[in-house]
Structure formats: C-alpha cells, structure tokens
Amino acid sequence: TVWQPRAADPELEAEFMRRLLVKLGLPQEQAKTVVASAPSKEAARVTTTQGQTSVQLDDGFDRAWRRVGLALDRSGFTVEDRDRAGGLYFVRYVDPKKAATNAEPGFFAKLFSFGKSDDAAAPVRYRIAVKGEGDRTTVSVQTSQGAAETTEVGLRIVALLVDDLK
C-alpha cells in the first residue's frame, strides 16, 4: 500500500480511532461511546468583526503562535521578524495575481520603457497579529503601519492561512 494524501475526513478518522481502541483491548460498545463523546471542533474559521476579516482559532496563544508560524513558512511568506510579546509576525508577500501579469517584457518594451518602475511584483510588507483571548486566538492581517488590511490581498492572505491551519 502507498500513502495517498487527501483532505481530512472526520468520519473516517473517527472510525479509525474506534478500530484502534478495539484493537488495544477496549470493548466495542465502550469504544463507540468514547469516539462519540470526543469533542469535534473546527480548527480554524474565518470571522468578520468591524469590517476586518480574521481567523479564529480554538487554541491558546502559545499553540496558536506556533501554528501560525508554521503556516506562514509553508504558505510561501517571507517572515522578516517576530515579536512574540506583541504577538506580531512581520512578513513579506508577493501577490500571485500581480506576479503573473508582470511577465518578462520583450526587447522593444525593455528598450522603450526607461523611467518606468517595476514595482508591480515587488513584495509588500504586512503584519500578522496573533491575539490570545483565553482559550481562543484571533489572527488578523495588518498593513506595515499597523492598520487593518481590508483589501482583496488581505482577504487572500486570510484565506491562505485558514486553508493551512485547518
């Protein structure tokens, strides 16, 4: 057999857990009740408060800080700096839509485009704010100055984080 990666399936995972408990010696009925009583919670979800879209995690700050750091590394962000006391990641992000439209110019375009800047695909700096509130944590995207990022790029960054944190 070969491992086939695929999306998480809670029903399949519950059945696997039940079978594992039976294999380890728990009776069938007790294994069913243990699996049925296990809390099922969504790992990450998108929330919108006061016009800003953010990610809500059902984890404490310490665990959420680690998970967000790993998600940023896996999602192609460049983490420039971290401020754990303030709950901030300072990252650079290149919007794939802008990078795709900024194809290599031809010979004549290079020849006659002097004076034009090539900032379309330049990385933009953002702050990822991780704020713990008891056993829940909110992750939001901010501009480099600390204001709420409400543009389409900010929504895309939130979607990337939610996909990776699930």
Side-chain angles (χ1 to χ4, degrees), residues 80 88-93 123-129 140-151 157:
E80 292 181 336
L88 294 172
Y89 283 99
F90 299 92
V91 299
R92 284 185 300 161
Y93 176 69
V124 180
R125 289 185 169 87
Y126 294 98
R127 292 182 185 182
I128 308 297
S140 59
V141 180
Q142 301 174 349
T143 62
S144 61
Q145 290 80 25
E149 179 64 49
T150 57
T151 64
I157 292 173

Side-chain angles (χ1 to χ4, degrees), residues 129-142:
V130 181
K131 187 180 296 184
E133 300 151 358
D135 63 342
R136 288 196 174 160
T137 306
T138 303
V139 181
S140 59
V141 180
Q142 301 174 349

Side-chain angles (χ1 to χ4, degrees), residues 11-161:
E11 292 176 9
L12 182 63
E13 292 169 2
E15 178 62 21
F16 183 79
M17 180 61 72
R18 186 192 63 76
R19 289 182 184 187
L20 180 64
L21 290 172
V22 169
K23 185 71 172 174
L24 292 174
L26 214 59
Q28 283 276 5
E29 298 79 28
Q30 192 175 2
K32 284 182 182 179
T33 58
V34 167
V35 170
S37 67
S40 63
K41 63 180 181 180
E42 193 174 340
R45 62 193 164 280
V46 177
T47 60
T48 304
T49 53
Q50 300 173 352
Q52 183 180 9
T53 305
S54 59
V55 180
Q56 185 84 31
L57 298 172
D58 290 334
D59 290 326
F61 177 79
D62 293 333
R63 182 166 163 75
W65 178 261
R66 269 193 314 273
R67 289 182 62 201
V68 169
L70 290 172
L72 290 172
D73 288 340
R74 285 190 299 254
S75 297
F77 291 89
T78 303
V79 179
E80 292 181 336
D81 197 9
R82 294 173 174 87
D83 179 12
R84 185 176 168 89
L88 294 172
Y89 283 99
F90 299 92
V91 299
R92 284 185 300 161
Y93 176 69
V94 177
D95 188 14
K97 288 187 176 182
K98 288 182 181 178
T101 59
N102 191 21
E104 182 67 28
F107 174 74
F108 287 110
K110 285 182 185 177
L111 187 64
F112 295 112
S113 67
F114 54 87
K116 292 184 182 178
S117 66
D118 190 27
D119 293 336
V124 180
R125 289 185 169 87
Y126 294 98
R127 292 182 185 182
I128 308 297
V130 181
K131 187 180 296 184
E133 300 151 358
D135 63 342
R136 288 196 174 160
T137 306
T138 303
V139 181
S140 59
V141 180
Q142 301 174 349
T143 62
S144 61
Q145 290 80 25
E149 179 64 49
T150 57
T151 64
E152 182 182 335
V153 177
L155 296 175
R156 198 170 308 123
I157 292 173
V158 167
L160 281 171
L161 288 175

